[in-house]
Amino acid sequence: MTGLLELLGLGASAELLSLSGWGGNLLRGLANSLQIAFGAFGLGLVIGLFGAYGKLYGGKVTRDLLAIYTTVIRAVPELVLILILYYVGSDIINKISEAMGGGRVEINGVAAGIWVLGIVQGAYATEVLRGAIKAVPVGQIEAAKSYGMPAFLTMRRVTIPAMMSFAVPGLANLWLIATKDTALLAVVGFNELTLETRQAASSTRAYFTFFLAAGFLYLMVTLCSGAVFARVEKWARRGQPSLKGGAR
Amino acid sequence: MHTATAAASVPETGTPREAIRVEDLHKSFGNLEVLKGVDLTARQGDVVAIIGGSGSGKSTMLRCINFLETPSSGKIVIGGEEVAMRADGSPANQKQIEKIRTKLAMVFQQFNLWTHRTLLENVIEVPVHVLKVPKAQAIERARELLERVGLGGKEDTFPAYLSGGQQQRAAIARALAVNPSAMLFDEPTSALDPELVGEVLTVIRDLAAEGRTMLLVTHEMKFAREVANHVVYLYQGRIEEQGPPAEVFGNPQSDRLKQFLSSVA
Ligand SMILES: Nc1ncnc2c1ncn2[C@@H]1O[C@H](COP(=O)(O)OP(=O)(O)OP(=O)(O)O)[C@@H](O)[C@H]1O
Ligand SMILES: [Mg+2]
């Protein structure tokens, strides 16, 4: 193995990327990135579900507030949002802490990242889920109603399962965006994959090696996600004959 | 065909109690008044056929009875219990509506089975999650009911893989699973290919013979005449004529009914 790498002139790269060297840092960065992506995606789903229901069934005030939320978040570039939410957020937390007589608080990077990206994801998820809920045939919900299902049970047992097949492709996109948006957190000094890569590269001057390695890691995340979402989509579409035929 | 399991649900004999009563029911959609004061009573064991031209308000009337549509005004009494309504006709007590709905099983023109659930799951859904029947018991009953409507062996099939006739029979099994005190059918065979109509009518005929209370909106005049003991003819949101099938079909009084019957014959 080592012999082969030497032969290809990649010995130096292999050494740089070894786990005891900078490679370990890259993997730690990746772990941080994934943690944030997971959290943000999950938070986004929760916000999105409430947002979608609020937009569809809420009163005038709820709908207006949600319209402002989704419009503003989707209009402003993510990088700018991250800077605003991060600095405004930590400022508010510190103000509160000082008002309560405490000192300045150390903001937990992961938690901050999840909040910031989660709020961004929530705006997109609201629209994805709203569309999916609207695509559920009314008859499905009417049947639930006509058999005395209360609203929340209907949502849990009928609407959400029935909308999943419409929502999954959009949600898969959102997840991939979440994994990549974590890179933007580098601007606030958070040690995710991109920042770790930049540090490794500038310390060793092996830019090509490290950015290629980081690109490879992002690609692997995408490929694995693709496989997972393919299965989720298959499950969500259970009961629907495939478009390729084979029904009946 | 499948009468073996019927005994349990036959209402006791004696003077039949009132199952559904509708008094002076009005319903408007915006400026369009669709129901203009409908009165209707069904006693236990009655099979009431509701006939009338397209747009006469048959579906709307049926849907007002279980509050899928909110009536504009009137009074609805189900099994002796009056539904509490606000001045604008909207239900005053959502819990009461939900309770009443579990007693009125609806069968839709478009079946409306839950597409992401198998037939068995469709049939046990309401018993398990709304009526809190133990799951094993619900499954056992669901199997019996599916067997009864001729769908034994299809328990694990998803609705989309079945014919319309099979789906409608499954929807009837779903309705029976809640032990309804009355069943509401809204044109149960209108979405079916002609050769599939018969199998669904056979199931409904059995239910009628067994003494189930039903309101049946239908365009199948021959069938209505055969199974119903009371026929209601709706014309533009009013009951134009009603009576026993032999009277309504054999000796129609109003010109509108005469014309309607000759147009569908
Ligand atoms: N949700 C609604 N909003 C507005 N108008 C409606 C609505 N539902 C029904 N209508 C109108 O009410 C009238 C009666 O409709 P309904 O569906 O009760 O007729 P029907 O007797 O069942 O007819 P069909 O035999 O075609 O099913 C029609 O003119 C219809 O256009
Ligand atoms: Mg109708």
Side-chain angles (χ1 to χ4, degrees), chain B residues 29 32 34 53-60 187 219:
Chain B
F29 292 107
L32 178 70
V34 176
S54 185
S56 56
K58 307 181 295 294
S59 298
T60 306
E187 298 193 31
H219 285 300

Side-chain angles (χ1 to χ4, degrees), chain B:
Chain B
M1 70 181 175
H2 318 280
T3 37
T5 54
S9 37
V10 176
E12 69 238 75
T13 43
T15 357
R17 290 195 307 131
E18 170 191 292
I20 297 172
R21 179 156 45 105
V22 174
E23 279 177 27
D24 199 25
L25 180 67
H26 289 255
K27 171 66 182 174
S28 303
F29 292 107
N31 290 328
L32 178 70
E33 192 175 22
V34 176
L35 296 179
K36 301 166 184 163
V38 173
D39 297 274
L40 183 83
T41 305
R43 305 198 154 271
Q44 272 180 11
D46 275 355
V47 177
V48 179
I50 298 153
I51 60 173
S54 185
S56 56
K58 307 181 295 294
S59 298
T60 306
M61 187 185 92
L62 212 60
R63 292 163 57 83
C64 280
I65 290 176
N66 67 0
F67 285 78
L68 280 185
E69 294 302 347
T70 304
S72 305
S73 70
K75 183 166 152 185
I76 292 173
V77 185
I78 308 291
E81 181 180 344
E82 182 178 345
V83 181
M85 278 160 54
R86 296 213 184 86
D88 64 353
S90 65
N93 180 348
Q94 184 64 21
K95 280 271 161 293
Q96 184 194 26
I97 297 292
E98 280 160 12
K99 200 184 83 201
I100 280 173
R101 281 174 178 165
T102 63
K103 296 181 187 165
L104 298 174
M106 185 126 181
V107 176
F108 299 86
Q109 184 175 350
Q110 301 295 341
F111 333 129
N112 291 351
L113 290 169
W114 294 301
T115 53
H116 55 284
R117 301 198 189 283
T118 62
L119 291 199
L120 189 78
E121 288 168 343
N122 265 281
V123 178
I124 66 169
E125 180 67 20
V126 180
V128 171
H129 293 277
V130 181
L131 304 173
K132 309 291 179 203
V133 174
K135 194 163 177 186
Q137 192 182 324
I139 289 175
E140 195 183 330
R141 172 113 170 95
R143 287 187 189 286
E144 281 170 23
L145 289 170
L146 285 170
E147 183 72 38
R148 165 161 190 208
V149 298
L151 290 170
K154 296 279 186 205
E155 289 86 354
D156 298 325
T157 309
F158 286 100
Y161 293 86
L162 296 173
S163 74
Q166 290 172 317
Q167 290 190 54
Q168 193 60 297
R169 283 184 280 138
I172 292 173
R174 171 174 73 176
L176 291 173
V178 304
N179 283 324
S181 59
M183 298 177 80
L184 310 177
F185 290 85
D186 190 1
E187 298 193 31
T189 57
S190 294
L192 299 178
D193 293 338
E195 74 268 23
L196 302 176
V197 169
E199 61 189 58
V200 172
L201 293 186
T202 304
V203 172
I204 299 174
R205 188 180 292 119
D206 272 5
L207 295 173
E210 152 191 320
R212 295 254 172 206
T213 312
M214 332 196 221
L215 299 195
L216 173 67
V217 173
T218 186
H219 285 300
E220 302 277 340
M221 295 304 147
K222 237 180 85 220
F223 183 69
R225 183 171 194 162
E226 176 196 340
V227 301
N229 61 352
H230 191 80
V231 179
V232 171
Y233 171 61
L234 266 188
Y235 179 81
Q236 293 188 355
R238 283 200 183 87
I239 295 183
E240 176 87 8
E241 201 169 326
Q242 60 178 321
E247 292 289 311
V248 171
F249 291 113
N251 184 21
Q253 300 299 307
S254 74
D255 292 339
R256 284 170 185 149
L257 178 55
K258 283 178 193 159
Q259 202 177 352
F260 173 71
L261 289 175
S262 62
S263 74
V264 293

